Amino acid sequence: MAMFLSAVEGTIVATALPTIVGDLGGLDQFTWVITSYFVSSTIATPLLGKLSDPFGRRPIFVLSIVLFIVASALAGFSQSMLQLVVFRSLQGIGGGGLQALAFIIIGDILAPRERGRYMGYFTGTFALSGLIGPLLGGLIVDAGVLGWRWIFFLNVPLGIVTLAVVAASLRLPRTRKEVDLDWLGAALLTVGVGSLLVAASIGGDTVDWASAEIAALVALGLMATVAFVVHEFRAADPILPMRLFRNDIFAVGSALAFFTGAALMSSNIFLPLFLQVVTGSSATVSGLVLAPMMIALTVSSAIAGRRITARGRYRSLVRLGPIVAILGLVGLTTLGIDSQPWHAIIWVVLNGLGMGLLMPPLSIAIQNGVDARDLGVATSANVFFRTLGMAIGIAGYGVVMANRLRTELADRLPSDTAASLDVAELTGSPEAIRALSPDIQGPVIESVAAAVNLAYWAALPVAAVMLVLAWALREIPLRQVSPLEEVQAADSSEDSSSS
C-alpha cells in the first residue's frame, strides 16, 4: 500500500498539469510540479534509509506516511503554483521514505532466499502504479465532478488506511542507539544531487542547455558531490559509508542499478511522443501501449521471485534479464515512419520482461551481500542509484534527440522555416505539430521519427555496459535466516555469555 501511494503520485499529476495551470496560472513554473517531487524523493531515499538504521524502521516509516498525507492535503488546498511546488516537494520527501522503507522492511523480516517472491510483488506494484497513475489522473480531470484537487485529496484516506494497517500489524523491534548524525554529509548530498537533478530536469525544456544557469547548476552539483565523497571517508557515521564500495557485490550492483535506470527505464519516456506524432495515436492509446510492458514486467518479476525462492540462486536471472531487455531496445531502434502501435508493443513487452527478470534479483543480491547492520543504507542506495540513472538517462537522450531534430529540420525544411520552429515545443506538444500546415507537418514528423530513433540507438551502448556489469556480478549463497533473526540470535548469545 505504501509503495503504491508513493509510486502512483509520481505519475498521476502529469495528465492533470494543463488543467492545474489553467486554474492556478504560472505556466513558467508548471514543470516544477513534476520536478520538485522527483528531486526531493530521490534525495530523501538514501537519507531516510540511513536514519532508519539507528532509529528503527517503524518510526521512520510512520513519519514518512504522515508527511505524505499532510503534504497531499496541503497540495490539494494550494492557491498558487508556488504553494503547489513547495507542497509537492514535501510529498516527495515522504514518498522517498515510503519507497526506501518498504524494500528495507521486506529485507529485515525475510531471509534472502524467501525474499524473491515478495520482491516480485513489490516490483509489480511499482509497475502497476506507473500504468494506473496517468489513467486515473485523466479520469479525475475529465470527469469534471471532482476537479484536479482530488488527485491530491484521494491520498488522504488512502494514506490513513495505510497508516492504520502499519500501526496495527507492523511489529519490528526498535533498535535505537546513539549516533553522530552526519548533517554535513546530508547537506552536501542534497546540494550535489539536487543541483544535478534540477539541471537534468529543466535543461532543454525551460532553460537552454548552453545557458549560464545550467552551467552553474552542473558545476555546483559536481563540486558538492566530490565534497560529499571526500567527507564520507572521514565522517563518524556517514550517510553512505564508502567502505561498502569495497564490497564487490554492492559496488557492481549499485553500478548495475544506475545503468539499468539509464538504459531501460529512461528510454521508454520517448515512446508516447513517437506514437502520438509519427503514428497519429491519441494520448490514451499511446499510454495504453505501455500497459503490456507493465504487465510483462509484473509477470516476469513474480516468476523471477518464485524461481529465486525455489532454487536459492539469482545470477542466471541477473544475466538473462538484460539480454531480453536489450533485444526489446534493439527492436525499438527499428521503429520508423511506417511503424504501427502494435510494432512498439512487441518490443516494449520484451523490455518489460527483461526488467522484471533483473530488478528483484538485483535487490536481493545487494541485500544478501552486505551485513545486517548495512541493510537499510544498501537497499536505499540501490533505489537511489537506479533513480539517478533514470534522471541522467532522460536528460542525455533528450539532448541527443533535440540535436538530431534540429539537424533533420535543417535538412528537410527551408532554413527560415526550420529556424522559426521551436524544438522544445515540438518535442513537448504533439498538438503543435498537428497544427502545422501539411507541407511543413510531413517533414517535421519524419524529423521527429529520426530523432527518437537516434535516442534509442544512444541507449544501446549504455545497455551494453549494463550487460557487462550483470555478468560481472558475483553470486554467493543466499542466507537462510532474516537479518532480524541474526540480530536476535546474536543478542541471545551475548546474554548467555554475560550470565
Side-chain angles (χ1 to χ4, degrees), residues 186-251:
L188 290 172
L189 179 66
T190 301
V191 173
V193 175
S195 299
L196 293 175
L197 287 179
V198 169
S201 300
I202 67 175
D205 186 5
T206 57
V207 180
D208 189 81
W209 280 108
S211 66
E213 293 91 335
I214 295 297
L217 283 171
V218 171
L220 177 62
L222 291 176
M223 288 188 295
T225 301
V226 171
F228 169 75
V229 173
V230 172
H231 170 74
E232 292 299 275
F233 278 107
R234 305 171 181 173
D237 191 14
I239 296 292
L240 181 60
M242 293 294 112
R243 59 179 169 77
L244 284 177
F245 290 96
R246 293 197 294 268
N247 181 328
D248 64 304
I249 293 178
F250 176 82

Side-chain angles (χ1 to χ4, degrees), residues 6-188:
S6 171
V8 80
E9 192 58 33
T11 59
I12 192 174
V13 176
T15 49
L17 267 181
T19 304
I20 294 174
V21 171
D23 189 11
L24 297 181
L27 181 62
D28 59 327
Q29 299 173 335
F30 87 99
T31 56
W32 285 99
V33 177
I34 301 293
T35 300
S36 59
Y37 184 90
F38 183 72
V39 171
S40 61
S41 64
T42 303
I43 294 172
T45 297
L47 298 181
L48 294 177
K50 173 63 179 177
L51 286 177
S52 75
D53 280 336
F55 294 116
R57 316 297 190 208
R58 193 172 188 272
I60 303 299
F61 197 41
V62 169
L63 176 65
S64 299
I65 297 173
V66 171
L67 179 59
F68 189 85
I69 294 172
V70 173
S72 295
L74 292 173
F77 285 116
S78 297
Q79 299 301 309
S80 68
M81 287 294 282
L82 178 60
Q83 291 180 11
L84 183 58
V85 168
V86 171
F87 297 142
R88 284 280 289 171
S89 298
L90 294 177
Q91 252 192 325
I93 296 174
L98 293 181
Q99 288 201 43
L101 270 297
F103 282 111
I104 292 171
I105 290 170
I106 286 296
D108 275 335
I109 65 179
L110 293 170
R113 181 158 181 168
E114 298 298 320
R115 251 174 246 163
R117 180 173 53 184
Y118 296 90
M119 284 292 186
Y121 297 154
F122 272 58
T123 304
T125 300
F126 188 84
L128 184 65
S129 67
L131 172 63
I132 291 178
L135 297 177
L136 183 59
L139 181 63
I140 291 174
V141 171
D142 292 341
V145 177
L146 299 176
W148 64 264
R149 296 182 185 277
W150 279 92
I151 285 177
F152 304 107
F153 289 151
L154 279 178
N155 290 328
V156 176
L158 292 175
I160 290 174
V161 172
T162 303
L163 186 62
V165 171
V166 169
S169 62
L170 183 61
R171 293 287 178 264
L172 296 172
R174 182 160 182 170
T175 57
R176 185 182 181 91
K177 63 181 181 181
E178 294 298 323
V179 294
D180 182 12
L181 292 179
D182 185 14
W183 295 112
L184 178 57
L188 290 172

Side-chain angles (χ1 to χ4, degrees), residues 199-490:
S201 300
I202 67 175
D205 186 5
T206 57
V207 180
D208 189 81
W209 280 108
S211 66
E213 293 91 335
I214 295 297
L217 283 171
V218 171
L220 177 62
L222 291 176
M223 288 188 295
T225 301
V226 171
F228 169 75
V229 173
V230 172
H231 170 74
E232 292 299 275
F233 278 107
R234 305 171 181 173
D237 191 14
I239 296 292
L240 181 60
M242 293 294 112
R243 59 179 169 77
L244 284 177
F245 290 96
R246 293 197 294 268
N247 181 328
D248 64 304
I249 293 178
F250 176 82
V252 174
S254 297
L256 181 53
F258 176 87
F259 281 96
T260 298
L264 301 180
M265 302 180 71
S266 59
S267 58
N268 291 313
I269 197 154
F270 303 107
L271 188 58
L273 172 68
F274 178 88
L275 293 172
Q276 291 180 50
V277 172
V278 179
T279 70
S281 302
S282 67
T284 301
V285 169
S286 66
L288 290 175
V289 166
L290 294 177
M293 183 186 76
M294 299 301 182
I295 295 171
L297 194 156
T298 302
V299 171
S300 61
S301 295
I303 292 173
R306 289 184 176 275
R307 188 172 178 83
I308 290 174
T309 300
R311 298 186 60 210
R313 304 181 70 86
Y314 57 79
R315 186 167 61 179
S316 60
L317 293 169
V318 171
R319 291 178 172 181
L320 177 61
I323 294 174
V324 176
I326 288 173
L327 289 176
L329 190 57
V330 170
L332 289 173
T333 64
T334 66
L335 296 179
I337 196 73
D338 298 323
S339 298
Q340 298 298 317
W342 66 268
H343 294 144
I345 290 177
I346 296 173
W347 306 121
V348 297
V349 165
L350 284 176
N351 203 324
L353 287 173
M355 286 193 289
L357 291 174
L358 170 63
M359 290 197 296
L362 177 58
S363 298
I364 292 170
I366 291 174
Q367 289 184 338
N368 184 66
V370 300
D371 294 337
R373 60 176 176 149
D374 294 319
L375 181 69
V377 66
T379 304
S380 58
N382 176 41
V383 179
F384 169 74
F385 283 118
R386 187 172 65 233
T387 307
L388 186 62
M390 185 169 62
I392 293 176
I394 291 172
Y397 304 141
V399 172
V400 170
M401 186 177 68
N403 289 337
R404 178 61 179 271
L405 182 56
R406 290 190 183 93
T407 301
E408 291 289 332
L409 290 174
D411 292 340
R412 298 174 187 271
L413 293 170
S415 58
D416 56 337
T417 303
S420 66
L421 295 175
D422 185 345
V423 170
E425 183 180 10
L426 294 178
T427 55
S429 174
E431 292 79 9
I433 296 177
R434 286 194 287 268
L436 297 172
S437 61
D439 59 319
I440 298 177
Q441 187 183 82
V444 169
I445 290 175
E446 293 172 358
S447 299
V448 170
V452 174
N453 183 266
L454 185 62
Y456 283 123
W457 276 104
L460 284 177
V462 183
V465 176
M466 175 189 67
L467 181 59
V468 171
L469 290 169
W471 281 80
L473 185 68
R474 184 166 58 92
E475 183 172 51
I476 59 176
L478 293 177
R479 294 195 294 266
Q480 301 292 325
V481 297
S482 71
L484 283 181
E485 291 171 333
E486 290 181 6
V487 172
Q488 290 169 352

